[in-house]
Amino acid sequence: MRIWSSDSGRQVSEARIEEAVGNREFAGKMSRQTNRGTENKKMNSELFTLTYGALVTQLCKDYENDEDVNKQLDKMGYNIGVRLIEDFLARSNVGRCHDFRETADVIAKVAFKMYLGVTPSVTNWSPAGDEFSLILENNPLVDFVELPDNHSSLIYSNLLCGLLRGALEMVQMAIDVKFVQDTLKGDNVTEIRMKFIKRIEENLPAGEE
Amino acid sequence: MNKQEMADEALFQLLHTEMVSYVYKWAEQGEMESGRYVTKLENMGFRVGQGLIERFTKDTARFKDELDVMKFICKDFWTSVFKKQIDNLRTNHQGIYVLQDNKFRLLTQMSAGKQYLEHAPKYLAFTCGLVRGALSNLGIKSIVTVEVTTMPACKFQVMIQKM
């Protein structure tokens, strides 16, 4: 099975291949790398940032207007969120949150730290305690990014909204998530507003109660 | 190290999975002739490879020759991206290099054997582009293809295009 890496991909007969010099060094170093389980999962964040950038660029080519790109990013974020929550719960030893304030703390101090290496601050609580803001001093998703003028309604990091919504839905919380400030649009900080909508009841199949 | 090391692998892998399924959805709706999806993923990889290599090589010495570049890709580049080195590098000294990874990071979660083998190419197109993009920014024009017979091992073949 093979795929070609260029439009003009052409088959080249298998040439005689011989071992390149310096191979033994590889073999030696490899044997040390037998980590398993929850080993150090940190990786180069530039890879993530650039990959995300390439994705947004592709979406902007595929869709005509920014709204559709925002929607698609949200959808993909949601798909990631519903999976990521399992990884998070398995690795963080965080139990069920008792109130929304605790949820906010876990998101900011544990989840963001674990996955993006930043710790946003939690502010602007609504009096009822059902709304708060995550303030990101720097958003790793936008490290090398400048928005061109013709994409003023593009919410570049919208993936994060979908991700948060998807992840929290899996722990029975319906949340509304949106960006209210964005450094890409000239604001000083990036602010994500989270609003608690309702607790999702466990849906038991009929007749099992 | 510093903040460069701080993203999490799970997030990248899930993002990559989403990219594959997104591109594939277009293909399924018949909006792209078969094979175009590979190009799309490959192009995204290309861009990322170009960007990454600029960041990675800013403090390295100038490369002696082509083989030196390939060794950099196998060691430093692969380690930064996939947290392991290429297990085996072979060449015919005429512009063809075969990079073998016995435990390719983006396939390890999928299968250890022949199950889902038919889906493997989707998950490799991005990486082919990554390598091609990296080489391209080092002044080497190439065609990168990949072969999988048993997951999670795979062989990337780099054919250098003489300019």
Side-chain angles (χ1 to χ4, degrees):
Chain A
M1 188 169 305
R2 60 176 40 196
I3 53 179
W4 296 99
S5 151
S6 146
D7 289 347
S8 61
R10 63 190 164 84
Q11 190 99 23
V12 170
S13 60
E14 288 286 320
R16 194 175 61 90
I17 302 287
E18 68 182 46
E19 200 139 336
V21 262
N23 246 341
R24 268 147 234 108
E25 297 167 52
F26 295 160
K29 282 193 184 147
M30 269 314 299
S31 55
R32 274 192 274 127
Q33 300 205 347
T34 43
N35 3 348
R36 51 170 61 208
T38 56
E39 80 271 36
N40 172 24
K41 295 210 175 194
K42 291 286 157 262
M43 59 171 279
N44 190 293
S45 71
E46 286 168 356
L47 172 66
F48 180 71
T49 305
L50 289 169
T51 305
Y52 185 69
L55 172 68
V56 177
T57 311
Q58 184 63 47
L59 291 180
C60 287
K61 274 186 212 155
D62 290 346
Y63 293 103
E64 272 161 27
N65 66 62
D66 293 347
E67 299 302 328
D68 290 341
V69 176
N70 294 342
K71 232 180 273 171
Q72 182 63 34
L73 283 172
D74 182 81
K75 203 160 101 191
M76 296 172 98
Y78 179 85
N79 293 340
I80 293 174
V82 298
R83 296 195 176 103
L84 197 66
I85 187 72
E86 305 212 0
D87 181 79
F88 177 73
L89 293 175
R91 283 164 59 194
S92 64
N93 291 320
V94 171
R96 190 169 278 275
C97 293
H98 298 290
D99 58 22
F100 202 40
R101 284 183 187 268
E102 197 181 335
T103 310
D105 269 355
V106 170
I107 292 171
K109 296 193 182 120
V110 189
F112 266 80
K113 180 111 189 74
M114 187 191 265
Y115 292 110
L116 291 172
V118 294
T119 311
S121 49
V122 179
T123 57
N124 297 340
W125 278 97
S126 65
D130 64 345
E131 257 186 80
F132 69 90
S133 290
L134 289 171
I135 307 286
L136 283 156
E137 301 272 331
N138 53 357
N139 173 2
L141 256 48
V142 304
D143 268 352
F144 313 113
V145 181
E146 246 178 77
L147 275 190
D149 294 337
N150 55 348
H151 283 293
S152 53
S153 51
L154 176 71
I155 309 169
Y156 185 85
S157 317
N158 209 30
L159 187 97
L160 285 180
C161 293
L163 203 158
L164 287 164
R165 191 165 52 82
L168 288 171
E169 198 173 301
M170 293 299 114
V171 288
Q172 276 83 44
M173 272 187 261
I175 310 280
D176 183 58
V177 190
K178 59 175 186 289
F179 277 90
V180 288
Q181 286 196 78
D182 194 341
T183 45
L184 286 180
K185 302 204 167 138
D187 298 315
N188 286 330
V189 290
T190 297
E191 176 178 354
I192 304 174
R193 191 78 182 152
M194 314 254 300
K195 185 181 190 321
F196 181 83
I197 301 170
K198 62 167 186 175
R199 180 158 281 279
I200 299 165
E201 300 300 328
E202 307 257 359
N203 271 338
L204 287 177
E208 276 194 25
E209 268 180 289
Chain B
M1 209 166 72
N2 49 16
K3 98 179 220 295
Q4 286 175 12
E5 295 289 323
M6 284 310 284
D8 191 89
E9 198 187 2
L11 202 52
F12 170 72
Q13 293 202 344
L14 287 172
L15 181 69
H16 178 258
T17 309
E18 277 307 307
M19 287 163 69
V20 172
S21 74
Y22 161 75
V23 169
Y24 229 68
K25 226 166 267 162
W26 285 80
E28 273 169 12
Q29 287 164 0
E31 307 218 4
M32 269 190 285
E33 61 270 43
S34 64
R36 289 289 290 169
Y37 71 92
V38 175
T39 314
K40 234 177 202 191
L41 279 169
E42 212 265 343
N43 282 342
M44 285 193 254
F46 185 83
R47 274 182 67 95
V48 176
Q50 277 190 316
L52 276 184
I53 204 77
E54 276 179 19
R55 310 286 301 171
F56 291 170
T57 52
K58 65 182 193 292
D59 298 322
T60 52
R62 187 168 276 273
F63 296 111
K64 282 201 304 285
D65 52 21
E66 203 175 270
L67 186 61
D68 210 26
V69 171
M70 291 311 294
K71 282 203 233 168
F72 179 82
I73 297 284
C74 292
K75 291 187 194 175
D76 304 64
F77 185 76
W78 219 257
T79 309
S80 302
V81 177
F82 299 115
K83 304 191 49 175
K84 73 186 282 294
Q85 298 183 18
I86 282 286
D87 295 307
N88 195 311
L89 169 67
R90 287 158 171 267
T91 178
N92 67 349
H93 296 294
Q94 283 164 34
I96 296 185
Y97 294 84
V98 177
L99 287 62
Q100 185 178 336
D101 190 334
N102 295 330
K103 212 175 150 203
F104 184 57
R105 209 71 176 180
L106 295 174
L107 295 179
T108 44
Q109 310 283 340
M110 252 198 282
S111 152
K114 299 212 180 285
Q115 197 184 14
Y116 305 127
L117 192 61
E118 70 272 24
H119 297 292
K122 295 184 217 167
Y123 292 88
L124 292 162
F126 180 81
T127 309
C128 284
L130 205 64
V131 175
R132 194 166 67 88
L135 287 173
S136 129
N137 240 11
L138 295 173
I140 297 177
K141 200 167 168 252
S142 63
I143 294 178
V144 182
T145 60
V146 67
E147 221 175 332
V148 194
T149 45
T150 314
M151 293 206 271
C154 62
K155 274 185 198 170
F156 294 91
Q157 181 170 308
V158 179
M159 273 176 285
I160 311 286
Q161 310 289 94
K162 290 285 170 248
M163 306 232 196

